[in-house]
Amino acid sequence: MSSVSLTLIGKPGCHLCDDARAVIGAVIGDLPDGAPTVVVDEKNILEDPDLHAQYVEDIPVVLVDGRVHTYWRVDPTRLRTALLEVR
């Protein structure tokens, strides 16, 4: 079975980050049997100066397999499609 990494870059107290986390959880929870395993990692820009410099104006940022998938708002349909395309 294949796997895909998903990274959520944000910071505490960010309401858009909370929204993104909820969308990510719902999408992953609704993936069909046989879908790739999604390994989720969260990064806090307040704990990483490089991420802070790169993404401070764009959080939340979602990376799929290390590439920027989206920022600010997560579209559930687009995220689901991206996760299912990884095979």
Coordinates of all heavy atoms in Angstrom, one line a residue:
M1 N 0.9 -1.2 0.0 CA 0.0 0.0 0.0 C 0.9 1.2 0.0 O 1.9 1.3 0.7 CB -0.9 0.0 1.2 CG -1.8 1.2 1.3 SD -3.1 1.1 2.6 CE -4.1 -0.2 2.0
S2 N 0.5 2.2 -0.8 CA 1.3 3.5 -0.9 C 1.0 4.4 0.3 O 0.0 4.3 1.0 CB 1.1 4.1 -2.2 OG -0.2 4.5 -2.3
S3 N 1.9 5.4 0.5 CA 1.6 6.4 1.5 C 1.9 7.8 0.9 O 2.7 7.9 0.0 CB 2.4 6.1 2.8 OG 3.8 6.3 2.5
V4 N 1.4 8.8 1.6 CA 1.6 10.1 1.2 C 1.8 10.9 2.5 O 1.2 10.7 3.5 CB 0.4 10.7 0.4 CG1 -0.9 10.6 1.1 CG2 0.6 12.1 -0.1
S5 N 2.7 11.9 2.4 CA 2.9 12.7 3.6 C 2.2 14.0 3.4 O 2.1 14.6 2.3 CB 4.4 13.0 3.8 OG 4.9 13.8 2.7
L6 N 1.5 14.5 4.4 CA 0.8 15.7 4.4 C 1.3 16.6 5.6 O 1.4 16.1 6.7 CB -0.7 15.5 4.6 CG -1.6 16.8 4.5 CD1 -2.9 16.4 3.9 CD2 -1.8 17.4 5.8
T7 N 1.8 17.8 5.3 CA 2.3 18.6 6.4 C 1.4 19.9 6.5 O 1.2 20.5 5.4 CB 3.8 19.0 6.1 OG1 4.6 17.9 5.9 CG2 4.4 19.9 7.2
L8 N 1.0 20.2 7.7 CA 0.3 21.4 7.9 C 1.2 22.4 8.6 O 1.7 22.1 9.7 CB -1.0 21.1 8.8 CG -1.8 22.3 9.3 CD1 -2.3 23.1 8.1 CD2 -2.9 21.9 10.2
I9 N 1.4 23.5 8.0 CA 2.3 24.5 8.6 C 1.4 25.6 9.1 O 0.6 26.2 8.4 CB 3.3 25.0 7.6 CG1 4.2 23.9 7.0 CG2 4.2 26.1 8.2 CD1 5.0 24.3 5.9
G10 N 1.6 25.9 10.4 CA 0.7 27.0 11.0 C 1.3 27.5 12.3 O 2.5 27.4 12.5
K11 N 0.4 27.9 13.2 CA 0.9 28.4 14.5 C -0.3 28.3 15.4 O -1.5 28.3 15.0 CB 1.5 29.8 14.5 CG 0.5 30.9 14.2 CD 1.1 32.2 14.2 CE 0.1 33.3 14.0 NZ 0.7 34.7 14.0
P12 N -0.1 28.2 16.7 CA -1.1 28.2 17.7 C -2.0 29.5 17.6 O -1.4 30.6 17.3 CB -0.4 28.1 19.1 CG 0.9 27.6 18.7 CD 1.3 28.1 17.4
G13 N -3.3 29.4 17.9 CA -4.1 30.6 17.9 C -4.6 31.0 16.5 O -5.2 32.0 16.4
C14 N -4.2 30.3 15.5 CA -4.6 30.6 14.1 C -5.9 30.0 13.8 O -5.9 28.7 13.6 CB -3.4 30.2 13.2 SG -3.8 30.2 11.4
H15 N -7.0 30.7 13.6 CA -8.3 30.1 13.3 C -8.3 29.5 12.0 O -9.0 28.4 11.8 CB -9.4 31.1 13.5 CG -9.5 32.1 12.4 ND1 -8.7 33.2 12.3 CD2 -10.3 32.2 11.3 CE1 -9.0 33.9 11.3 NE2 -10.0 33.3 10.6
L16 N -7.6 30.0 11.0 CA -7.6 29.3 9.7 C -6.8 28.0 9.8 O -7.1 27.0 9.1 CB -6.9 30.2 8.6 CG -7.7 31.4 8.2 CD1 -6.9 32.3 7.2 CD2 -9.0 31.1 7.6
C17 N -5.8 27.9 10.7 CA -5.1 26.7 10.9 C -6.0 25.6 11.5 O -6.0 24.5 11.1 CB -3.8 26.9 11.8 SG -2.7 28.1 11.1
D18 N -6.8 26.1 12.4 CA -7.8 25.2 13.1 C -8.8 24.7 12.0 O -9.1 23.5 12.0 CB -8.6 25.9 14.2 CG -7.7 26.2 15.4 OD1 -6.6 25.6 15.5 OD2 -8.0 27.2 16.1
D19 N -9.2 25.6 11.1 CA -10.2 25.2 10.1 C -9.5 24.2 9.1 O -10.1 23.2 8.8 CB -10.6 26.4 9.3 CG -11.5 27.3 10.0 OD1 -12.0 27.0 11.1 OD2 -11.7 28.5 9.5
A20 N -8.2 24.4 8.8 CA -7.5 23.5 7.9 C -7.4 22.2 8.5 O -7.5 21.1 7.9 CB -6.1 24.1 7.6
R21 N -7.0 22.1 9.8 CA -6.9 20.9 10.5 C -8.2 20.0 10.5 O -8.2 18.8 10.3 CB -6.4 21.1 12.0 CG -6.0 19.9 12.8 CD -5.5 20.3 14.2 NE -4.4 21.2 14.1 CZ -4.4 22.5 14.4 NH1 -5.5 23.1 14.7 NH2 -3.3 23.2 14.3
A22 N -9.3 20.7 10.7 CA -10.6 20.1 10.6 C -10.9 19.5 9.3 O -11.4 18.4 9.1 CB -11.7 21.0 11.1
V23 N -10.6 20.3 8.2 CA -10.9 19.8 6.8 C -10.0 18.6 6.5 O -10.4 17.6 6.0 CB -10.6 20.9 5.8 CG1 -10.6 20.4 4.4 CG2 -11.7 22.0 6.0
I24 N -8.7 18.7 6.9 CA -7.8 17.6 6.7 C -8.2 16.3 7.4 O -8.3 15.3 6.8 CB -6.3 18.0 7.2 CG1 -5.8 19.1 6.2 CG2 -5.4 16.8 7.2 CD1 -4.5 19.8 6.8
G25 N -8.7 16.5 8.6 CA -9.1 15.3 9.4 C -10.4 14.7 8.7 O -10.5 13.5 8.6
A26 N -11.3 15.5 8.3 CA -12.5 15.0 7.6 C -12.2 14.3 6.3 O -12.7 13.2 6.0 CB -13.5 16.2 7.4
V27 N -11.3 14.9 5.5 CA -11.0 14.3 4.2 C -10.3 13.0 4.4 O -10.6 12.0 3.8 CB -10.1 15.3 3.4 CG1 -9.5 14.6 2.2 CG2 -10.9 16.5 2.9
I28 N -9.3 12.9 5.3 CA -8.6 11.7 5.6 C -9.6 10.6 6.1 O -9.5 9.4 5.7 CB -7.4 11.9 6.5 CG1 -6.3 12.7 5.8 CG2 -6.8 10.6 7.0 CD1 -5.2 13.2 6.7
G29 N -10.4 11.0 7.0 CA -11.4 10.1 7.6 C -12.4 9.5 6.6 O -13.0 8.5 6.8
D30 N -12.5 10.2 5.5 CA -13.5 9.8 4.5 C -12.9 9.1 3.2 O -13.6 8.8 2.3 CB -14.3 11.0 4.0 CG -15.6 10.6 3.3 OD1 -16.3 9.6 3.6 OD2 -15.9 11.3 2.3
L31 N -11.6 8.9 3.3 CA -10.9 8.3 2.1 C -11.4 6.8 2.0 O -11.6 6.1 3.0 CB -9.4 8.3 2.2 CG -8.8 9.7 2.1 CD1 -7.3 9.6 2.4 CD2 -9.0 10.3 0.7
P32 N -11.5 6.3 0.8 CA -12.0 4.9 0.6 C -10.9 3.9 1.0 O -9.7 4.2 1.0 CB -12.3 4.9 -0.9 CG -11.4 5.9 -1.5 CD -11.3 7.0 -0.5
D33 N -11.4 2.7 1.2 CA -10.5 1.6 1.4 C -9.6 1.5 0.2 O -10.0 1.7 -1.0 CB -11.2 0.3 1.5 CG -12.0 0.2 2.8 OD1 -11.7 1.0 3.8 OD2 -12.9 -0.6 2.9
G34 N -8.3 1.2 0.4 CA -7.3 1.1 -0.7 C -6.6 2.4 -1.0 O -5.7 2.5 -1.8
A35 N -7.1 3.5 -0.4 CA -6.4 4.8 -0.6 C -5.1 4.8 0.0 O -4.8 4.0 1.0 CB -7.3 5.9 0.0
P36 N -4.2 5.6 -0.4 CA -2.9 5.7 0.2 C -3.0 6.0 1.7 O -3.9 6.8 2.1 CB -2.1 6.8 -0.5 CG -2.9 6.9 -1.8 CD -4.3 6.5 -1.5
T37 N -2.1 5.6 2.5 CA -2.0 5.9 3.9 C -1.5 7.4 4.0 O -0.5 7.7 3.3 CB -1.1 5.0 4.7 OG1 -1.6 3.7 4.6 CG2 -1.0 5.4 6.1
V38 N -2.2 8.2 4.7 CA -1.7 9.6 4.9 C -1.0 9.8 6.2 O -1.6 9.5 7.2 CB -2.9 10.6 4.8 CG1 -2.5 12.0 4.9 CG2 -3.7 10.3 3.5
V39 N 0.2 10.2 6.1 CA 1.0 10.5 7.3 C 1.0 12.0 7.5 O 1.6 12.7 6.7 CB 2.5 9.9 7.1 CG1 3.3 10.2 8.4 CG2 2.4 8.4 6.8
V40 N 0.4 12.4 8.6 CA 0.2 13.9 8.8 C 1.3 14.3 9.8 O 1.5 13.7 10.9 CB -1.2 14.2 9.4 CG1 -1.3 15.6 9.7 CG2 -2.2 13.7 8.4
D41 N 1.9 15.5 9.5 CA 2.8 16.1 10.4 C 2.4 17.6 10.5 O 2.0 18.2 9.5 CB 4.2 16.0 9.8 CG 5.3 16.6 10.7 OD1 5.2 16.6 11.9 OD2 6.3 17.1 10.1
E42 N 2.6 18.2 11.7 CA 2.3 19.6 11.8 C 3.6 20.3 12.2 O 4.4 19.8 13.0 CB 1.2 19.8 12.9 CG -0.1 19.5 12.5 CD -1.2 20.1 13.4 OE1 -1.1 21.2 13.8 OE2 -2.2 19.4 13.6
K43 N 3.8 21.5 11.6 CA 4.9 22.3 11.9 C 4.5 23.7 12.3 O 3.5 24.2 11.8 CB 5.8 22.5 10.6 CG 6.2 21.2 10.0 CD 7.7 20.9 10.3 CE 8.1 19.6 9.5 NZ 9.0 18.8 10.2
N44 N 5.1 24.2 13.4 CA 4.8 25.5 14.0 C 5.8 26.5 13.5 O 7.0 26.4 13.8 CB 4.8 25.3 15.5 CG 4.4 26.6 16.2 OD1 4.4 27.7 15.7 ND2 4.2 26.4 17.5
I45 N 5.4 27.5 12.8 CA 6.3 28.5 12.3 C 7.0 29.3 13.5 O 8.0 29.9 13.3 CB 5.7 29.5 11.4 CG1 4.6 30.4 12.0 CG2 5.1 28.8 10.1 CD1 4.1 31.6 11.2
L46 N 6.4 29.3 14.7 CA 7.0 30.0 15.8 C 8.2 29.2 16.4 O 9.0 29.8 17.1 CB 6.0 30.2 16.9 CG 4.7 31.0 16.5 CD1 3.8 31.2 17.7 CD2 5.1 32.4 16.0
E47 N 8.3 27.9 16.0 CA 9.4 27.1 16.5 C 10.5 26.9 15.4 O 11.5 26.2 15.6 CB 8.9 25.8 16.9 CG 8.0 25.9 18.1 CD 7.3 24.6 18.5 OE1 7.4 23.6 17.8 OE2 6.7 24.5 19.6
D48 N 10.3 27.4 14.2 CA 11.2 27.2 13.1 C 11.4 28.5 12.3 O 10.6 28.9 11.6 CB 10.7 26.1 12.2 CG 11.6 25.7 11.1 OD1 12.3 26.6 10.5 OD2 11.7 24.5 10.8
P49 N 12.6 29.2 12.6 CA 12.8 30.5 11.9 C 12.7 30.4 10.4 O 12.3 31.4 9.7 CB 14.2 30.8 12.3 CG 14.5 30.0 13.6 CD 13.7 28.8 13.4
D50 N 13.2 29.3 9.8 CA 13.1 29.2 8.3 C 11.7 29.1 7.8 O 11.3 29.8 6.8 CB 13.9 28.0 7.8 CG 15.4 28.1 8.1 OD1 15.9 29.2 8.1 OD2 16.1 27.1 8.2
L51 N 10.9 28.3 8.5 CA 9.5 28.2 8.1 C 8.8 29.6 8.3 O 7.9 30.0 7.5 CB 8.7 27.1 8.8 CG 9.1 25.7 8.4 CD1 8.3 24.7 9.3 CD2 8.7 25.4 7.0
H52 N 9.1 30.2 9.4 CA 8.5 31.5 9.7 C 8.8 32.5 8.6 O 7.9 33.2 8.1 CB 9.0 32.1 11.1 CG 8.4 33.3 11.5 ND1 8.8 34.6 11.1 CD2 7.3 33.5 12.3 CE1 8.0 35.5 11.6 NE2 7.1 34.9 12.3
A53 N 10.1 32.6 8.2 CA 10.5 33.5 7.2 C 9.8 33.2 5.8 O 9.4 34.1 5.1 CB 12.0 33.5 7.0
Q54 N 9.6 31.9 5.6 CA 9.1 31.5 4.3 C 7.5 31.7 4.2 O 7.0 32.0 3.2 CB 9.5 30.1 4.0 CG 9.1 29.6 2.6 CD 9.7 28.3 2.3 OE1 10.4 27.6 3.1 NE2 9.5 27.8 1.1
Y55 N 6.9 31.4 5.3 CA 5.4 31.2 5.3 C 4.6 32.1 6.2 O 3.4 32.0 6.2 CB 5.0 29.8 5.6 CG 5.5 28.8 4.6 CD1 6.4 27.8 4.9 CD2 5.1 28.8 3.2 CE1 6.8 26.8 4.0 CE2 5.5 27.9 2.3 CZ 6.4 26.9 2.7 OH 6.8 25.9 1.8
V56 N 5.2 33.1 6.9 CA 4.5 33.9 7.9 C 3.2 34.5 7.3 O 2.2 34.6 8.0 CB 5.4 34.9 8.6 CG1 5.9 36.0 7.6 CG2 4.8 35.5 9.8
E57 N 3.2 34.9 6.1 CA 2.1 35.6 5.5 C 1.1 34.6 4.9 O 0.0 35.1 4.4 CB 2.5 36.6 4.5 CG 3.4 37.8 5.0 CD 2.6 38.7 6.0 OE1 1.4 38.9 5.8 OE2 3.2 39.1 7.0
D58 N 1.4 33.4 4.8 CA 0.6 32.4 4.1 C -0.1 31.4 4.9 O -0.9 30.6 4.3 CB 1.5 31.7 3.0 CG 2.0 32.7 2.0 OD1 1.4 33.7 1.7 OD2 3.2 32.4 1.5
I59 N 0.1 31.3 6.2 CA -0.4 30.2 7.0 C -1.9 30.2 7.0 O -2.5 31.3 7.0 CB 0.2 30.1 8.4 CG1 -0.2 31.3 9.2 CG2 1.7 29.8 8.3 CD1 0.2 31.2 10.6
P60 N -2.5 29.0 7.1 CA -1.9 27.7 7.1 C -1.5 27.3 5.6 O -2.1 27.7 4.7 CB -3.0 26.8 7.5 CG -4.3 27.5 7.1 CD -4.0 28.9 7.2
V61 N -0.4 26.6 5.6 CA 0.1 26.0 4.4 C 0.0 24.5 4.5 O 0.4 23.9 5.5 CB 1.6 26.5 4.1 CG1 2.1 25.8 2.8 CG2 1.7 28.0 4.1
V62 N -0.5 23.9 3.4 CA -0.5 22.4 3.4 C 0.4 21.9 2.3 O 0.3 22.4 1.1 CB -2.0 21.9 3.1 CG1 -2.0 20.4 2.9 CG2 -2.9 22.4 4.1
L63 N 1.3 21.1 2.7 CA 2.2 20.4 1.7 C 1.8 19.0 1.5 O 1.4 18.3 2.5 CB 3.7 20.4 2.3 CG 4.3 21.7 2.7 CD1 5.7 21.5 3.3 CD2 4.3 22.8 1.6
V64 N 1.8 18.5 0.3 CA 1.5 17.1 0.0 C 2.8 16.6 -0.6 O 3.2 17.1 -1.7 CB 0.3 16.9 -0.9 CG1 0.1 15.5 -1.3 CG2 -1.0 17.5 -0.3
D65 N 3.4 15.6 0.0 CA 4.6 15.0 -0.4 C 5.7 16.1 -0.6 O 6.5 16.1 -1.6 CB 4.5 14.2 -1.6 CG 4.0 12.8 -1.3 OD1 4.0 12.4 -0.1 OD2 3.5 12.1 -2.2
G66 N 5.7 17.1 0.3 CA 6.7 18.1 0.3 C 6.5 19.3 -0.6 O 7.3 20.2 -0.6
R67 N 5.4 19.2 -1.4 CA 5.1 20.3 -2.3 C 3.9 21.1 -1.8 O 3.0 20.5 -1.3 CB 4.9 19.8 -3.7 CG 6.1 19.2 -4.4 CD 5.8 18.6 -5.7 NE 4.9 17.5 -5.8 CZ 5.2 16.3 -5.6 NH1 6.4 15.9 -5.4 NH2 4.3 15.3 -5.7
V68 N 3.9 22.4 -2.0 CA 2.8 23.2 -1.6 C 1.6 22.8 -2.3 O 1.5 22.8 -3.6 CB 3.1 24.7 -1.8 CG1 1.8 25.6 -1.5 CG2 4.2 25.2 -0.9
H69 N 0.5 22.4 -1.6 CA -0.7 22.1 -2.2 C -1.7 23.3 -2.1 O -2.3 23.6 -3.1 CB -1.4 20.9 -1.4 CG -2.8 20.6 -1.8 ND1 -3.1 20.0 -3.0 CD2 -4.0 20.9 -1.1 CE1 -4.4 19.9 -3.0 NE2 -5.0 20.5 -2.0
T70 N -1.7 24.0 -1.0 CA -2.6 25.1 -0.8 C -2.1 25.9 0.4 O -1.3 25.5 1.2 CB -4.0 24.7 -0.7 OG1 -4.9 25.8 -0.9 CG2 -4.3 24.1 0.7
Y71 N -2.7 27.1 0.5 CA -2.5 27.9 1.7 C -3.8 28.7 2.0 O -4.7 28.8 1.1 CB -1.3 28.9 1.5 CG -1.3 29.8 0.3 CD1 -1.9 31.0 0.4 CD2 -0.8 29.3 -0.9 CE1 -1.9 31.8 -0.7 CE2 -0.8 30.1 -2.0 CZ -1.4 31.4 -1.9 OH -1.4 32.2 -3.0
W72 N -3.9 29.2 3.2 CA -5.1 29.9 3.7 C -6.3 29.0 3.9 O -6.7 28.7 5.0 CB -5.4 31.2 2.9 CG -4.4 32.2 2.9 CD1 -3.5 32.5 3.8 CD2 -4.1 33.1 1.8 NE1 -2.6 33.5 3.5 CE2 -3.0 33.9 2.2 CE3 -4.7 33.3 0.6 CZ2 -2.5 34.9 1.4 CZ3 -4.2 34.3 -0.2 CH2 -3.1 35.1 0.2
R73 N -6.9 28.6 2.9 CA -8.1 27.8 3.0 C -7.9 26.5 2.2 O -7.4 26.5 1.1 CB -9.3 28.5 2.3 CG -9.6 29.8 3.0 CD -10.9 29.8 3.8 NE -11.2 31.1 4.4 CZ -11.6 31.2 5.6 NH1 -11.7 30.2 6.4 NH2 -11.8 32.4 6.1
V74 N -8.4 25.4 2.8 CA -8.2 24.1 2.3 C -9.5 23.6 1.6 O -10.6 23.5 2.3 CB -7.8 23.0 3.3 CG1 -7.6 21.7 2.7 CG2 -6.5 23.5 4.0
D75 N -9.5 23.4 0.3 CA -10.7 22.9 -0.4 C -10.7 21.4 -0.2 O -9.8 20.7 -0.7 CB -10.6 23.3 -1.9 CG -11.8 22.8 -2.6 OD1 -11.7 21.6 -3.1 OD2 -12.8 23.5 -2.8
P76 N -11.8 20.9 0.4 CA -11.8 19.4 0.7 C -11.8 18.6 -0.6 O -11.1 17.5 -0.6 CB -13.1 19.2 1.5 CG -13.8 20.4 1.4 CD -12.9 21.5 1.0
T77 N -12.5 19.0 -1.6 CA -12.5 18.2 -2.8 C -11.2 18.1 -3.5 O -10.7 17.1 -3.9 CB -13.6 18.8 -3.8 OG1 -14.8 18.8 -3.1 CG2 -13.7 17.9 -5.1
R78 N -10.5 19.3 -3.6 CA -9.2 19.4 -4.2 C -8.2 18.5 -3.4 O -7.3 17.8 -3.9 CB -8.7 20.8 -4.3 CG -7.4 21.0 -5.0 CD -7.2 22.5 -5.3 NE -5.9 22.6 -5.8 CZ -4.8 23.0 -5.1 NH1 -4.9 23.3 -3.9 NH2 -3.6 23.1 -5.7
L79 N -8.2 18.6 -2.0 CA -7.3 17.8 -1.2 C -7.6 16.3 -1.4 O -6.6 15.6 -1.5 CB -7.4 18.2 0.3 CG -6.5 17.5 1.2 CD1 -5.1 17.6 0.9 CD2 -6.8 17.9 2.7
R80 N -8.8 15.9 -1.4 CA -9.1 14.5 -1.6 C -8.6 14.0 -2.9 O -8.0 12.9 -3.0 CB -10.7 14.3 -1.5 CG -11.1 12.9 -1.6 CD -12.6 12.8 -1.5 NE -13.1 11.5 -1.2 CZ -13.3 10.5 -2.1 NH1 -12.9 10.8 -3.4 NH2 -13.7 9.3 -1.8
T81 N -8.8 14.8 -3.9 CA -8.3 14.4 -5.3 C -6.8 14.2 -5.2 O -6.2 13.3 -5.8 CB -8.7 15.4 -6.3 OG1 -10.1 15.5 -6.4 CG2 -8.1 15.1 -7.7
A82 N -6.1 15.2 -4.6 CA -4.6 15.1 -4.5 C -4.1 13.9 -3.8 O -3.2 13.2 -4.2 CB -4.1 16.4 -3.9
L83 N -4.8 13.6 -2.7 CA -4.4 12.4 -1.9 C -4.6 11.1 -2.6 O -3.9 10.2 -2.5 CB -5.1 12.4 -0.5 CG -4.8 13.6 0.4 CD1 -5.6 13.6 1.7 CD2 -3.3 13.6 0.7
L84 N -5.7 11.1 -3.4 CA -6.0 9.8 -4.1 C -5.2 9.6 -5.4 O -5.0 8.5 -5.9 CB -7.5 9.8 -4.5 CG -8.5 9.6 -3.3 CD1 -9.9 9.7 -3.8 CD2 -8.2 8.3 -2.6
E85 N -4.6 10.7 -5.9 CA -3.8 10.6 -7.1 C -2.4 10.0 -6.7 O -1.7 9.5 -7.6 CB -3.6 12.0 -7.7 CG -4.8 12.5 -8.4 CD -4.6 13.9 -9.0 OE1 -3.6 14.6 -8.7 OE2 -5.5 14.3 -9.7
V86 N -2.0 10.0 -5.5 CA -0.8 9.4 -5.1 C -1.0 7.9 -5.0 O -1.7 7.4 -4.1 CB -0.3 9.9 -3.7 CG1 1.0 9.3 -3.3 CG2 -0.1 11.4 -3.8
R87 N -0.4 7.2 -5.9 CA -0.6 5.7 -5.9 C 0.7 5.0 -6.1 O 1.6 5.4 -6.7 CB -1.6 5.3 -7.0 CG -3.0 5.9 -6.7 CD -3.9 4.8 -6.3 NE -5.1 5.5 -5.9 CZ -6.1 4.9 -5.3 NH1 -6.0 3.7 -5.0 NH2 -7.2 5.5 -5.0

